[in-house]
Amino acid sequence: MPVRPLFAAWMIVALGGVASAGADDPALVQKLKSAAKQYEQKKDAARGRALKEFDNQIAHLKTDRRLTPAARGDKVKEWTAARERFAETGRFPRDDQYANVELQYYLAVDRGFRPLTKLIDDVIADGVRTGKKETEAAGLKLREDIEQQLPGAGRITAPSVWRGTYTRSGAVIPYELHIGKRGASTFAGRVEDNAGAAGNWAFNVEGQTSGLSVEFVLTRSIRGKFKYFKLRGIVCDDRLIGTTQTRPGGKVVGVVVLRRGK
């Protein structure tokens, strides 16, 4: 499901429903309208950066001497088609070669989205505080509708298994995330690093979701030598893309790309 165009205009109409439901703080409704417009502007800026990154990659491929002329031509066609698709629909092809561009785009969109979600939570709290059930219900409905507009982390459910790859130090290895428990915005599970290999590393994790973003950290090592592990990324439909750190505040050491299994 693509992120719908004219989001700010849609939000203004939706906020009319919040106001008519008796929101006790008119200034809060106005702040929501302003936040919706700012979100739209930040999303447009993120789109511009993603398109520029596509252009940079296409330019690099045209001169990449590691590829044969035929391979260069094929890659340029693939990336050009992906760019056109993104420009028209706001979505990326389901191909891991675009994962880093997709990750950076959706992380930027999520940063713009978070102030809006906080204000929606304030509307809900306003309804609870004043005892106006209709205001609380309108806020909850607004949050639900907005989350449906975004390919967000609501796909993280329990139980579920996410399988894919972890690219680090030039190696690409099998990787699995097993979700065992799910709260309103938290989850717990287990990671299988280099899944399928004898004596593979494994560890328990706890994580949280917010808007489009997801992150989790190691809580207990089952096998292996990781003392610290953190993933920060996004969920888009049934794909999870994230970067990893193996020390607090350390540099990014790898990229995980997983798909939700059935």
Side-chain angles (χ1 to χ4, degrees), residues 245-256:
Q245 296 172 301
T246 53
R247 64 177 61 183
K251 66 178 182 179
V252 168
V253 297
V255 177
V256 170

Side-chain angles (χ1 to χ4, degrees), residues 9-230:
W10 173 85
M11 269 291 295
I12 290 172
V13 173
L15 289 169
V18 173
S20 64
D24 196 54
D25 186 355
L28 181 56
V29 175
Q30 189 57 44
K31 287 179 182 178
L32 274 163
K33 292 180 180 180
S34 176
K37 291 180 180 179
Q38 290 177 19
Y39 165 74
E40 187 81 3
Q41 292 168 354
K42 290 177 181 178
K43 180 164 69 68
D44 286 345
R47 178 180 178 276
R49 289 192 294 271
L51 289 171
K52 184 176 181 180
E53 185 56 35
F54 271 112
D55 292 338
N56 290 341
Q57 183 63 27
I58 292 167
H60 169 73
L61 288 169
K62 287 179 177 179
T63 59
D64 190 347
R65 298 304 174 187
R66 295 173 299 176
L67 301 173
T68 66
R72 281 200 301 273
D74 288 343
K75 281 293 184 183
V76 168
K77 288 179 182 178
E78 290 174 7
W79 276 80
T80 300
R83 185 194 188 283
E84 290 175 355
R85 173 178 173 171
F86 175 73
E88 292 175 2
T89 69
R91 301 304 295 274
F92 295 82
R94 293 170 58 80
D95 189 317
D96 292 354
Q97 67 179 318
Y98 313 111
N100 192 57
V101 182
E102 186 174 3
L103 173 62
Q104 298 308 316
Y105 170 73
Y106 280 121
L107 284 176
V109 170
D110 184 65
R111 286 193 293 272
F113 184 60
R114 289 193 181 196
L116 186 56
T117 57
K118 182 182 183 303
L119 286 170
I120 293 171
D121 288 342
D122 289 344
V123 168
I124 297 168
D126 184 50
V128 172
R129 177 180 59 82
T130 60
K132 294 182 177 179
K133 296 293 185 183
E134 64 274 21
T135 302
E136 179 186 359
L140 289 168
K141 179 65 165 57
L142 180 59
R143 183 168 65 187
E144 178 183 354
D145 288 347
I146 289 175
E147 288 177 350
Q148 288 178 358
Q149 300 245 341
L150 300 165
R155 296 288 292 170
I156 298 282
T157 60
S160 64
V161 182
W162 299 70
R163 296 185 175 92
T165 59
Y166 181 19
T167 303
R168 65 184 183 217
S169 302
V172 181
I173 63 174
Y175 204 78
E176 294 181 1
L177 171 63
H178 297 251
I179 306 295
K181 296 181 180 179
R182 181 72 160 112
S185 61
T186 60
F187 63 90
R190 184 184 82 256
V191 160
E192 295 285 341
D193 182 293
N194 205 7
N200 73 296
W201 291 10
F203 50 91
N204 291 341
V205 298
E206 291 183 356
Q208 61 184 3
T209 60
S210 175
L212 296 166
S213 67
V214 59
E215 63 179 45
F216 61 76
V217 296
L218 178 154
T219 56
R220 184 175 71 87
S221 178
I222 300 172
R223 295 185 302 275
K225 298 180 180 179
F226 279 141
K227 297 187 183 326
Y228 178 89
F229 186 92
K230 181 176 182 178

Side-chain angles (χ1 to χ4, degrees), residues 231-251:
L231 177 143
R232 178 173 178 265
I234 56 94
V235 176
C236 182
D237 295 331
D238 62 352
R239 289 175 83 226
L240 186 157
I241 306 170
T243 57
T244 65
Q245 296 172 301
T246 53
R247 64 177 61 183
K251 66 178 182 179

